[in-house]
């Protein structure tokens, strides 16, 4: 019989590598796993919203129907609050941090930042969406979590991951010792290890960017896109363009098959669109752990200074050689002055 390793078993096995670990981080990951299974269940019946009732209305069971991003936010906050291992949460959906001020959580070691539903514009059209999370050890020693606990460099992340609600539901995470992927087996309700020690190809033939914004891109990005589109047999160009518009889905595909994901500055988003704390840093941590790179075009994402919870940054992430080359084009054609201060 084939042996499967569940997420829970894997976490316990890995915990044995850290003799002083008390299991708090393992429990935190378990809590995130529980919330993502509940969100996955809702995502799977999102198409029934018209039958069961639209967001803001009352469904046939008499419950009010929530928009999926609000629902996901509530589920993750509830799981993390009840779990007792995190003293504060930062979410894309909340202006300020959420202090988890119950008896077990008040002095908990960790804070969690998250994008509870990434790719929300894709919910109504049956396209994959995701959740992104990032875990830090608090810098304040005890008492309620503080804003400063979140304002740490990405290099300080203790763990990070994403869940993709796709043709199957997967959780991919890292604690800084490689990246592992788990696929939800709906028949047993468990995430099972399906992608051990994930490695992203060093170079590849896919670029992912919202090219509709082309006129507003910095010159470095425009020239790099043109490079990707040129014909050259030796480097297998032209490359393929793949862009779903769900960051987790685009980055998950590129992680597996190789490629570069770019969200540079645009006229509408002069500092970039994606958020450093709960989108770029966790995705950068995973990508680096899988052998890839992540920059803002000039600097490593995980070393960027962070001063605001919802701070944005441009993002170039994926196969190492491609991110390096995009960076070379940025330096050559956009210059360091284009770097976000
Ligand atoms: P969110 O749904 O959390 O707001 O994030 C959407 C992000 C990201 O997932 C995606 O890659 C990007 O925004 C798409 O933006 P455009 O529609 O501007 O291309
Ligand atoms: Mn997002
Ligand atoms: Mn979101």
């Amino acid at each position: 019989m084939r042996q499967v390793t569940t997420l829970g078993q894997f976490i316990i096995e890995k915990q044995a590598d850290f003799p002083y670990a008390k299991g708090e981080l393992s429990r935190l990951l378990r809590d995130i796993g529980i919330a993502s299974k509940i969100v996955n269940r809702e995502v799977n019946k999102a198409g029934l919203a018209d039958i069961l009732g639209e967001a803001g209305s009352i469904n046939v069971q008499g419950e009010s129907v929530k928009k999926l991003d609000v629902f996901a936010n509530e589920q993750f906050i509830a799981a993390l609050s009840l779990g007792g291992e995190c003293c504060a949460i930062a979410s894309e959906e909340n202006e300020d941090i959420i202090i988890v001020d119950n008896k077990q959580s008040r002095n908990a070691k960790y804070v969690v930042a998250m994008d509870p539903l990434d790719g929300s514009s894709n919910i109504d059209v049956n396209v994959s969406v995701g959740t992104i999370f990032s875990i830090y050890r608090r810098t304040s020693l005890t008492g309620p979590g503080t804003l400063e606990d979140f304002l740490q460099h990405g290099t300080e992340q203790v763990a990070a991951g994403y869940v993709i609600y796709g043709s199957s539901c997967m959780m991919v995470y890292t604690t800084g010792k490689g990246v592992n992927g788990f696929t939800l087996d709906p028949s047993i309700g468990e995430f099972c290890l399906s992608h051990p020690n994930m490695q992203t190809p060093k170079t590849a033939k896919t670029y992912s960017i919202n090219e509709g914004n082309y006129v507003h891109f910095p010159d470095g990005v425009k020239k790099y896109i043109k490079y990707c589109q040129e014909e050259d047999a030796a480097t297998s160009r032209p490359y393929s363009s793949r862009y779903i518009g769900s960051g987790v889905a685009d980055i998950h595909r590129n992680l597996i098959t190789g490629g570069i994901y770019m969200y540079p500055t645009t006229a509408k988003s002069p500092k970039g669109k994606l958020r450093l704390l709960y989108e770029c840093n966790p995705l950068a941590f995973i990508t680096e752990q899988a052998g890839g790179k992540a920059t803002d075009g000039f600097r490593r994402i995980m070393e960027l200074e962070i001063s605001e919870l919802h701070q944005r940054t441009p993002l170039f992430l994926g196969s190492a050689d491609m991110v390096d080359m995009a960076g070379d084009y940025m330096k050559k054609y956009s210059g360091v002055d284009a770097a976000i201060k």
Side-chain angles (χ1 to χ4, degrees):
M1 210 182 78
R2 225 180 123 230
Q3 192 77 32
V4 295
T5 304
T6 66
L7 176 64
Q9 290 164 340
F10 185 85
I11 289 172
I12 292 168
E13 240 172 63
K14 291 292 150 194
Q15 201 181 300
D17 295 347
F18 304 94
Y20 301 108
K22 295 200 197 85
E24 289 114 322
L25 182 62
S26 305
R27 288 196 289 273
L28 205 45
L29 290 166
R30 174 206 60 191
D31 299 338
I32 291 170
I34 294 169
S36 46
K37 284 189 225 173
I38 298 172
V39 171
N40 181 54
R41 191 186 63 199
E42 272 334 271
V43 169
N44 281 330
K45 57 180 193 198
L48 296 169
D50 281 346
I51 302 168
L52 301 175
E54 297 220 42
S57 72
I58 307 289
N59 69 14
V60 285
Q61 283 97 33
E63 303 151 343
S64 67
V65 181
K66 303 239 162 67
K67 282 185 70 192
L68 213 47
D69 36 13
V70 177
F71 177 84
N73 195 39
E74 290 178 357
Q75 289 304 320
F76 280 98
I77 292 171
L80 292 168
S81 306
L82 289 171
E85 303 299 351
C86 122
C87 64
I89 303 162
S91 164
E92 184 189 13
E93 300 295 325
N94 298 76
E95 189 66 28
D96 299 314
I97 63 164
I98 300 147
I99 294 171
V100 189
D101 200 5
N102 57 45
K103 216 168 134 214
Q104 318 94 287
S105 305
R106 190 168 308 140
N107 293 314
K109 259 196 217 161
Y110 297 104
V111 295
V112 178
M114 63 174 180
D115 177 356
L117 208 90
D118 174 67
S120 34
S121 66
N122 282 315
I123 296 166
D124 295 337
V125 291
N126 240 329
V127 170
S128 302
V129 290
T131 293
I132 309 170
F133 62 89
S134 168
I135 302 176
Y136 288 89
R137 198 165 285 115
R138 66 188 299 174
T139 48
S140 57
L141 297 175
T142 50
T146 64
L147 173 63
E148 284 65 39
D149 291 326
F150 291 93
L151 302 181
Q152 304 187 48
H153 289 143
T155 47
E156 298 303 312
Q157 290 172 102
V158 172
Y162 60 76
V163 180
I164 177 166
Y165 310 101
S167 44
S168 50
C169 176
M170 263 190 87
M171 184 193 280
V172 173
Y173 83 93
T174 182
T175 53
K177 289 184 184 301
V179 181
N180 290 286
F182 299 80
T183 302
L184 181 64
D185 179 342
S187 68
I188 56 169
E190 294 278 4
F191 283 104
C192 299
L193 182 62
S194 53
H195 295 61
N197 191 21
M198 294 172 81
Q199 290 289 317
T200 197
K202 195 157 179 286
T203 192
K205 293 173 255 174
T206 301
Y207 70 101
S208 309
I209 188 167
N210 184 346
E211 259 176 285
N213 293 325
Y214 187 86
V215 287
H216 301 302
F217 288 153
D219 286 344
V221 172
K222 287 182 178 166
K223 299 265 193 211
Y224 179 67
I225 292 176
K226 286 294 159 219
Y227 167 85
C228 294
Q229 296 170 339
E230 273 162 21
E231 187 150 41
D232 176 51
T235 50
S236 303
R237 284 178 292 151
Y239 296 155
S240 286
S241 161
R242 291 282 181 275
Y243 189 76
I244 300 169
S246 251
V248 167
D250 277 307
I251 287 162
H252 179 68
R253 182 204 49 241
N254 288 1
L255 188 75
I256 292 174
T257 59
I260 183 169
Y261 174 95
M262 295 174 277
Y263 210 112
T265 56
T266 62
K268 203 172 135 205
S269 311
K271 293 186 166 181
K273 178 185 179 189
L274 302 181
R275 318 294 182 130
L276 180 57
L277 179 65
Y278 44 79
E279 291 180 315
C280 300
N281 268 332
L283 294 168
F285 190 20
I286 296 162
T287 303
E288 285 195 8
Q289 283 293 316
K293 287 194 173 178
T295 74
D296 69 348
F298 303 95
R299 298 162 298 188
R300 184 178 174 214
I301 287 288
M302 289 207 288
E303 289 175 5
L304 294 178
E305 289 299 326
I306 180 161
S307 55
E308 287 167 36
L309 212 53
H310 299 285
Q311 188 171 319
R312 297 173 194 267
T313 174
L315 177 67
F316 297 72
L317 169 148
S319 292
D321 289 351
M322 298 180 88
V323 174
D324 281 343
M325 183 169 291
D328 290 345
Y329 274 84
M330 287 300 285
K331 275 173 221 113
K332 185 158 177 207
Y333 296 104
S334 293
V336 229
D337 291 346
I340 306 295
K341 299 291 180 312

